[in-house]
Amino acid sequence: MFVEKSQAEFKAGATAAYVPQRTLKTSISCTGVALHTGAKVTMTLRPAEPDTGIVFRRTDIAGRGAEIPARWDHVADSRLCTVIANADGVTVATIEHLMAALAGMGIDNVVVELNGPEVPVMDGSSAPFVFLIECAGVLAQAAPRKAIRVLKPVSRSNGQTVASFTPAHDGLTLDFEIDFAAKAIGRQREAFLLTPATFKAEIARARTFGMLEDIPRMREAGLGLGGSLDNAVVVNGDQILNEDGLRFDTEFVRHKILDAVGDLALAGHPIVGHYHGVRSSHAHNNVLLRALLNDPAAWTLEPLRPGVHAPAGSAAAEAEQRLSA
Ligand SMILES: [Zn+2]
């Protein structure tokens, strides 16, 4: 079970009239390969004060210019992976699977140190980051968690690509549809209510994927140099090239949901609403997020009420904490 916090800490959180913000109990590091540059990179997740949010820090760059907040208005590029930049042009790439893990596990405040320009790809899913979070442990903080409540429908489409938000009473639900020409993928649809338990069991392990025919073009462009069957599902028509096959029958659409969790985490707060994606991408999810947040009538920021389903705000998640305390 998810190792959470001490009994005393839990009681303090349980009697509070709000859902607490959460950070890590201790710092934790990992080393891995960067998907696009192929370089080895070390990442350290550090606990952070309430209201810090998720902030990336490039330790290979001196001075104040090395910090980059993980926010929707800092997204510089999202064609292949999500790249964020600060005012000095310092960037961090491939943040989406780590962002998904932090949001999925209900972590509000963390400083992510990296000694290079890209988050390590690990196995192409969020599972290794979930493992790191669980090893570090989670600490409830004495500050209320706030959520962005969707107040009216917001939708953006581009040809057959559609992404939308509609209001929901409770929590964030994600409903995603894909339709690929490759027979090994085809049409898939899944929908989940996001809680740490659901994220860990149904979403986190789904790996990124690509088509065999796209690999030479990516390599020529100097991208995907760290990519291999160890960190992506590779599809060729009706074939899966990975020896061990898939982790779920619908691993592809589950990974698109994982990506959407990471993309929507750039809102800076959990979202209470219903998300629907049809063939949506990192870039299109960011278009939707900007459309929502740039319309003051479409949302409101409010303290998350105890019992509302959102990562670590749900009755189920609180019960889970109680069991493991
Ligand atoms: Zn992805």
Side-chain angles (χ1 to χ4, degrees), residues 265-311:
L266 293 170
H269 298 275
I271 293 173
V272 176
H274 177 68
Y275 163 89
H276 184 201
V278 182
R279 303 163 182 251
S280 194
S281 58
H282 293 305
H284 197 72
N285 288 337
N286 191 249
V287 166
L288 175 69
L289 202 53
R290 283 172 192 263
L292 174 77
L293 297 174
N294 282 326
D295 179 357
W299 60 281
T300 185
L301 189 65
E302 60 182 32
L304 201 56
R305 292 191 316 276
V308 169
H309 282 91

Short mmCIF file of all heavy atoms in Angstrom, two decimals, residues 265-311:
data_model
loop_
_atom_site.label_atom_id
_atom_site.label_comp_id
_atom_site.label_asym_id
_atom_site.label_seq_id
_atom_site.Cartn_x
_atom_site.Cartn_y
_atom_site.Cartn_z
N ALA A 265 -1.78 18.78 -15.83
CA ALA A 265 -1.11 19.13 -14.58
C ALA A 265 -0.43 20.49 -14.70
O ALA A 265 -0.16 21.15 -13.69
CB ALA A 265 -0.08 18.07 -14.20
N LEU A 266 -0.16 20.92 -15.93
CA LEU A 266 0.47 22.23 -16.14
C LEU A 266 -0.48 23.38 -15.79
O LEU A 266 -0.06 24.53 -15.79
CB LEU A 266 0.97 22.35 -17.58
CG LEU A 266 2.13 21.40 -17.93
CD1 LEU A 266 2.41 21.42 -19.41
CD2 LEU A 266 3.39 21.78 -17.15
N ALA A 267 -1.73 23.08 -15.48
CA ALA A 267 -2.66 24.10 -14.98
C ALA A 267 -2.15 24.64 -13.64
O ALA A 267 -2.49 25.76 -13.25
CB ALA A 267 -4.06 23.53 -14.81
N GLY A 268 -1.35 23.86 -12.93
CA GLY A 268 -0.79 24.31 -11.65
C GLY A 268 -1.63 23.91 -10.45
O GLY A 268 -1.20 24.07 -9.31
N HIS A 269 -2.83 23.40 -10.70
CA HIS A 269 -3.73 22.92 -9.65
C HIS A 269 -4.50 21.74 -10.21
O HIS A 269 -4.69 21.66 -11.43
CB HIS A 269 -4.75 24.00 -9.24
CG HIS A 269 -4.12 25.23 -8.66
ND1 HIS A 269 -3.77 25.33 -7.34
CD2 HIS A 269 -3.76 26.39 -9.24
CE1 HIS A 269 -3.24 26.52 -7.12
NE2 HIS A 269 -3.21 27.19 -8.26
N PRO A 270 -5.01 20.85 -9.34
CA PRO A 270 -5.90 19.80 -9.86
C PRO A 270 -7.14 20.43 -10.50
O PRO A 270 -7.57 21.51 -10.08
CB PRO A 270 -6.28 18.99 -8.63
CG PRO A 270 -5.59 19.58 -7.47
CD PRO A 270 -4.86 20.80 -7.89
N ILE A 271 -7.69 19.77 -11.50
CA ILE A 271 -8.88 20.28 -12.19
C ILE A 271 -10.08 19.44 -11.76
O ILE A 271 -10.00 18.21 -11.70
CB ILE A 271 -8.68 20.20 -13.72
CG1 ILE A 271 -7.58 21.20 -14.15
CG2 ILE A 271 -9.99 20.49 -14.46
CD1 ILE A 271 -7.18 21.10 -15.60
N VAL A 272 -11.18 20.12 -11.43
CA VAL A 272 -12.46 19.43 -11.19
C VAL A 272 -13.30 19.65 -12.45
O VAL A 272 -13.74 20.77 -12.73
CB VAL A 272 -13.19 19.97 -9.94
CG1 VAL A 272 -14.54 19.29 -9.79
CG2 VAL A 272 -12.33 19.73 -8.69
N GLY A 273 -13.46 18.60 -13.24
CA GLY A 273 -14.18 18.70 -14.50
C GLY A 273 -14.07 17.39 -15.26
O GLY A 273 -13.45 16.42 -14.78
N HIS A 274 -14.67 17.37 -16.43
CA HIS A 274 -14.62 16.19 -17.30
C HIS A 274 -13.82 16.56 -18.55
O HIS A 274 -14.15 17.53 -19.23
CB HIS A 274 -16.04 15.74 -17.66
CG HIS A 274 -16.06 14.59 -18.61
ND1 HIS A 274 -15.63 13.33 -18.25
CD2 HIS A 274 -16.42 14.52 -19.91
CE1 HIS A 274 -15.76 12.52 -19.30
NE2 HIS A 274 -16.22 13.22 -20.31
N TYR A 275 -12.77 15.78 -18.84
CA TYR A 275 -11.95 15.99 -20.03
C TYR A 275 -12.30 14.91 -21.04
O TYR A 275 -12.38 13.73 -20.69
CB TYR A 275 -10.47 15.92 -19.66
CG TYR A 275 -9.55 15.72 -20.85
CD1 TYR A 275 -9.04 16.81 -21.55
CD2 TYR A 275 -9.21 14.44 -21.28
CE1 TYR A 275 -8.22 16.61 -22.65
CE2 TYR A 275 -8.40 14.24 -22.38
CZ TYR A 275 -7.90 15.34 -23.06
OH TYR A 275 -7.09 15.14 -24.16
N HIS A 276 -12.48 15.31 -22.30
CA HIS A 276 -12.71 14.33 -23.37
C HIS A 276 -11.73 14.63 -24.50
O HIS A 276 -11.67 15.75 -25.00
CB HIS A 276 -14.16 14.42 -23.87
CG HIS A 276 -14.49 13.38 -24.90
ND1 HIS A 276 -15.53 13.50 -25.78
CD2 HIS A 276 -13.91 12.19 -25.20
CE1 HIS A 276 -15.58 12.44 -26.58
NE2 HIS A 276 -14.61 11.63 -26.24
N GLY A 277 -10.93 13.64 -24.86
CA GLY A 277 -9.97 13.81 -25.94
C GLY A 277 -10.24 12.82 -27.06
O GLY A 277 -10.48 11.64 -26.81
N VAL A 278 -10.24 13.31 -28.30
CA VAL A 278 -10.33 12.44 -29.47
C VAL A 278 -9.09 12.73 -30.31
O VAL A 278 -8.94 13.84 -30.82
CB VAL A 278 -11.61 12.71 -30.29
CG1 VAL A 278 -11.69 11.75 -31.48
CG2 VAL A 278 -12.85 12.58 -29.41
N ARG A 279 -8.18 11.76 -30.38
CA ARG A 279 -6.90 11.90 -31.11
C ARG A 279 -6.11 13.11 -30.64
O ARG A 279 -5.34 13.68 -31.41
CB ARG A 279 -7.13 12.05 -32.61
CG ARG A 279 -7.90 10.93 -33.27
CD ARG A 279 -8.39 11.45 -34.61
NE ARG A 279 -9.19 10.49 -35.33
CZ ARG A 279 -8.78 9.85 -36.44
NH1 ARG A 279 -7.59 10.06 -36.93
NH2 ARG A 279 -9.58 9.01 -37.05
N SER A 280 -6.31 13.55 -29.42
CA SER A 280 -5.63 14.77 -28.97
C SER A 280 -4.15 14.50 -28.71
O SER A 280 -3.72 13.36 -28.59
CB SER A 280 -6.31 15.32 -27.73
OG SER A 280 -5.88 16.64 -27.47
N SER A 281 -3.36 15.58 -28.67
CA SER A 281 -1.90 15.50 -28.53
C SER A 281 -1.46 16.44 -27.41
O SER A 281 -2.27 17.21 -26.90
CB SER A 281 -1.26 15.96 -29.84
OG SER A 281 -1.69 17.30 -30.11
N HIS A 282 -0.16 16.40 -27.08
CA HIS A 282 0.36 17.36 -26.10
C HIS A 282 0.03 18.78 -26.54
O HIS A 282 -0.43 19.60 -25.75
CB HIS A 282 1.88 17.24 -25.98
CG HIS A 282 2.34 15.95 -25.38
ND1 HIS A 282 1.90 15.50 -24.17
CD2 HIS A 282 3.21 15.02 -25.84
CE1 HIS A 282 2.49 14.34 -23.90
NE2 HIS A 282 3.28 14.03 -24.90
N ALA A 283 0.29 19.08 -27.82
CA ALA A 283 0.09 20.44 -28.33
C ALA A 283 -1.39 20.82 -28.23
O ALA A 283 -1.73 21.92 -27.78
CB ALA A 283 0.57 20.53 -29.78
N HIS A 284 -2.28 19.89 -28.61
CA HIS A 284 -3.71 20.22 -28.61
C HIS A 284 -4.25 20.31 -27.18
O HIS A 284 -5.12 21.15 -26.90
CB HIS A 284 -4.49 19.18 -29.43
CG HIS A 284 -5.85 19.67 -29.80
ND1 HIS A 284 -6.05 20.66 -30.75
CD2 HIS A 284 -7.08 19.37 -29.32
CE1 HIS A 284 -7.35 20.91 -30.84
NE2 HIS A 284 -7.99 20.15 -29.98
N ASN A 285 -3.74 19.48 -26.28
CA ASN A 285 -4.14 19.60 -24.87
C ASN A 285 -3.75 20.96 -24.31
O ASN A 285 -4.47 21.55 -23.50
CB ASN A 285 -3.51 18.48 -24.03
CG ASN A 285 -4.14 17.12 -24.30
OD1 ASN A 285 -5.28 17.04 -24.77
ND2 ASN A 285 -3.40 16.06 -24.03
N ASN A 286 -2.58 21.46 -24.73
CA ASN A 286 -2.14 22.78 -24.26
C ASN A 286 -3.03 23.89 -24.84
O ASN A 286 -3.33 24.86 -24.15
CB ASN A 286 -0.66 23.01 -24.60
CG ASN A 286 -0.10 24.23 -23.90
OD1 ASN A 286 0.21 25.24 -24.52
ND2 ASN A 286 -0.01 24.17 -22.58
N VAL A 287 -3.46 23.72 -26.10
CA VAL A 287 -4.41 24.68 -26.71
C VAL A 287 -5.69 24.72 -25.87
O VAL A 287 -6.22 25.79 -25.57
CB VAL A 287 -4.71 24.27 -28.18
CG1 VAL A 287 -5.91 25.03 -28.72
CG2 VAL A 287 -3.48 24.52 -29.06
N LEU A 288 -6.19 23.54 -25.48
CA LEU A 288 -7.41 23.47 -24.68
C LEU A 288 -7.22 24.13 -23.31
O LEU A 288 -8.06 24.90 -22.85
CB LEU A 288 -7.84 22.00 -24.48
CG LEU A 288 -9.04 21.80 -23.56
CD1 LEU A 288 -10.32 22.34 -24.19
CD2 LEU A 288 -9.21 20.34 -23.18
N LEU A 289 -6.08 23.82 -22.67
CA LEU A 289 -5.80 24.37 -21.34
C LEU A 289 -5.72 25.90 -21.41
O LEU A 289 -6.25 26.61 -20.54
CB LEU A 289 -4.48 23.78 -20.83
CG LEU A 289 -4.23 23.79 -19.34
CD1 LEU A 289 -5.38 23.16 -18.57
CD2 LEU A 289 -2.93 23.05 -19.03
N ARG A 290 -5.07 26.43 -22.45
CA ARG A 290 -4.98 27.89 -22.62
C ARG A 290 -6.37 28.49 -22.84
O ARG A 290 -6.69 29.55 -22.31
CB ARG A 290 -4.07 28.24 -23.81
CG ARG A 290 -2.60 28.09 -23.48
CD ARG A 290 -1.71 28.26 -24.72
NE ARG A 290 -0.35 27.83 -24.43
CZ ARG A 290 0.65 28.65 -24.09
NH1 ARG A 290 0.45 29.95 -24.03
NH2 ARG A 290 1.85 28.17 -23.81
N ALA A 291 -7.20 27.79 -23.63
CA ALA A 291 -8.56 28.29 -23.90
C ALA A 291 -9.35 28.37 -22.59
O ALA A 291 -10.07 29.34 -22.35
CB ALA A 291 -9.27 27.38 -24.90
N LEU A 292 -9.20 27.35 -21.75
CA LEU A 292 -9.90 27.34 -20.45
C LEU A 292 -9.39 28.48 -19.57
O LEU A 292 -10.17 29.30 -19.08
CB LEU A 292 -9.69 25.99 -19.74
CG LEU A 292 -10.24 25.91 -18.32
CD1 LEU A 292 -11.76 25.73 -18.34
CD2 LEU A 292 -9.61 24.76 -17.53
N LEU A 293 -8.07 28.51 -19.35
CA LEU A 293 -7.52 29.40 -18.34
C LEU A 293 -7.50 30.86 -18.79
O LEU A 293 -7.47 31.77 -17.95
CB LEU A 293 -6.11 28.92 -17.93
CG LEU A 293 -6.13 27.53 -17.27
CD1 LEU A 293 -4.71 27.02 -17.03
CD2 LEU A 293 -6.93 27.51 -15.98
N ASN A 294 -7.54 31.10 -20.11
CA ASN A 294 -7.61 32.48 -20.60
C ASN A 294 -9.03 33.04 -20.58
O ASN A 294 -9.23 34.20 -20.91
CB ASN A 294 -7.04 32.57 -22.02
CG ASN A 294 -5.51 32.56 -22.00
OD1 ASN A 294 -4.88 33.09 -21.08
ND2 ASN A 294 -4.91 31.95 -23.01
N ASP A 295 -10.01 32.22 -20.20
CA ASP A 295 -11.39 32.69 -20.13
C ASP A 295 -11.82 32.70 -18.65
O ASP A 295 -12.19 31.67 -18.10
CB ASP A 295 -12.30 31.76 -20.94
CG ASP A 295 -13.76 32.19 -20.87
OD1 ASP A 295 -14.08 33.16 -20.15
OD2 ASP A 295 -14.58 31.55 -21.55
N PRO A 296 -11.76 33.86 -18.00
CA PRO A 296 -12.05 33.93 -16.56
C PRO A 296 -13.45 33.43 -16.20
O PRO A 296 -13.68 33.03 -15.06
CB PRO A 296 -11.91 35.41 -16.22
CG PRO A 296 -11.17 36.02 -17.37
CD PRO A 296 -11.46 35.19 -18.58
N ALA A 297 -14.37 33.44 -17.17
CA ALA A 297 -15.73 32.97 -16.89
C ALA A 297 -15.84 31.45 -16.94
O ALA A 297 -16.86 30.88 -16.55
CB ALA A 297 -16.71 33.59 -17.89
N ALA A 298 -14.79 30.78 -17.40
CA ALA A 298 -14.87 29.33 -17.61
C ALA A 298 -14.42 28.51 -16.40
O ALA A 298 -14.59 27.30 -16.39
CB ALA A 298 -14.03 28.94 -18.84
N TRP A 299 -13.82 29.18 -15.42
CA TRP A 299 -13.29 28.41 -14.28
C TRP A 299 -13.22 29.28 -13.04
O TRP A 299 -13.28 30.50 -13.11
CB TRP A 299 -11.89 27.86 -14.60
CG TRP A 299 -10.87 28.92 -14.92
CD1 TRP A 299 -10.73 29.59 -16.11
CD2 TRP A 299 -9.88 29.47 -14.04
NE1 TRP A 299 -9.71 30.50 -16.02
CE2 TRP A 299 -9.17 30.45 -14.76
CE3 TRP A 299 -9.54 29.21 -12.71
CZ2 TRP A 299 -8.12 31.18 -14.20
CZ3 TRP A 299 -8.48 29.95 -12.14
CH2 TRP A 299 -7.79 30.91 -12.90
N THR A 300 -13.06 28.60 -11.91
CA THR A 300 -12.82 29.31 -10.65
C THR A 300 -11.83 28.50 -9.82
O THR A 300 -11.79 27.27 -9.94
CB THR A 300 -14.14 29.55 -9.89
OG1 THR A 300 -13.86 30.34 -8.73
CG2 THR A 300 -14.79 28.25 -9.44
N LEU A 301 -11.03 29.19 -9.03
CA LEU A 301 -10.08 28.51 -8.15
C LEU A 301 -10.70 28.44 -6.76
O LEU A 301 -11.07 29.48 -6.20
CB LEU A 301 -8.76 29.30 -8.10
CG LEU A 301 -7.59 28.61 -7.39
CD1 LEU A 301 -7.16 27.35 -8.13
CD2 LEU A 301 -6.40 29.57 -7.26
N GLU A 302 -10.84 27.22 -6.23
CA GLU A 302 -11.49 27.08 -4.93
C GLU A 302 -10.78 26.02 -4.09
O GLU A 302 -10.18 25.10 -4.64
CB GLU A 302 -12.97 26.71 -5.10
CG GLU A 302 -13.17 25.40 -5.85
CD GLU A 302 -14.65 25.05 -6.07
OE1 GLU A 302 -15.47 25.97 -6.22
OE2 GLU A 302 -14.94 23.85 -6.08
N PRO A 303 -10.83 26.16 -2.77
CA PRO A 303 -10.22 25.11 -1.93
C PRO A 303 -10.93 23.79 -2.21
O PRO A 303 -12.15 23.75 -2.34
CB PRO A 303 -10.48 25.58 -0.50
CG PRO A 303 -10.83 27.03 -0.61
CD PRO A 303 -11.45 27.22 -1.97
N LEU A 304 -10.15 22.73 -2.31
CA LEU A 304 -10.72 21.41 -2.57
C LEU A 304 -11.44 20.95 -1.30
O LEU A 304 -10.84 20.95 -0.22
CB LEU A 304 -9.58 20.46 -2.93
CG LEU A 304 -9.91 19.19 -3.68
CD1 LEU A 304 -10.63 19.50 -4.99
CD2 LEU A 304 -8.64 18.43 -3.97
N ARG A 305 -12.69 20.60 -1.42
CA ARG A 305 -13.44 20.15 -0.24
C ARG A 305 -13.05 18.72 0.10
O ARG A 305 -12.91 17.90 -0.82
CB ARG A 305 -14.94 20.21 -0.50
CG ARG A 305 -15.50 21.60 -0.64
CD ARG A 305 -17.03 21.57 -0.62
NE ARG A 305 -17.59 20.49 -1.42
CZ ARG A 305 -17.79 20.56 -2.73
NH1 ARG A 305 -17.45 21.64 -3.39
NH2 ARG A 305 -18.30 19.55 -3.39
N PRO A 306 -12.94 18.38 1.39
CA PRO A 306 -12.71 16.98 1.75
C PRO A 306 -13.84 16.13 1.17
O PRO A 306 -15.00 16.54 1.21
CB PRO A 306 -12.74 16.99 3.27
CG PRO A 306 -12.41 18.39 3.67
CD PRO A 306 -12.97 19.27 2.57
N GLY A 307 -13.50 15.01 0.57
CA GLY A 307 -14.52 14.13 0.02
C GLY A 307 -14.72 14.32 -1.47
O GLY A 307 -15.32 13.48 -2.12
N VAL A 308 -14.22 15.42 -2.05
CA VAL A 308 -14.34 15.60 -3.49
C VAL A 308 -13.29 14.73 -4.18
O VAL A 308 -12.15 14.67 -3.74
CB VAL A 308 -14.15 17.08 -3.88
CG1 VAL A 308 -13.99 17.23 -5.39
CG2 VAL A 308 -15.33 17.90 -3.40
N HIS A 309 -13.69 14.03 -5.23
CA HIS A 309 -12.76 13.16 -5.93
C HIS A 309 -11.78 13.99 -6.76
O HIS A 309 -12.14 14.56 -7.75
CB HIS A 309 -13.49 12.21 -6.87
CG HIS A 309 -14.10 11.06 -6.17
ND1 HIS A 309 -15.39 11.11 -5.69
CD2 HIS A 309 -13.60 9.85 -5.84
CE1 HIS A 309 -15.65 9.95 -5.09
NE2 HIS A 309 -14.59 9.18 -5.17
N ALA A 310 -10.57 14.02 -6.30
CA ALA A 310 -9.45 14.56 -7.07
C ALA A 310 -8.28 13.89 -6.42
O ALA A 310 -8.40 13.47 -5.27
CB ALA A 310 -9.36 16.07 -6.95
N PRO A 311 -7.15 13.73 -7.09
CA PRO A 311 -6.06 12.99 -6.46
C PRO A 311 -5.83 13.44 -5.03
O PRO A 311 -5.65 14.61 -4.78
CB PRO A 311 -4.87 13.30 -7.36
CG PRO A 311 -5.49 13.50 -8.70
CD PRO A 311 -6.81 14.20 -8.42
#
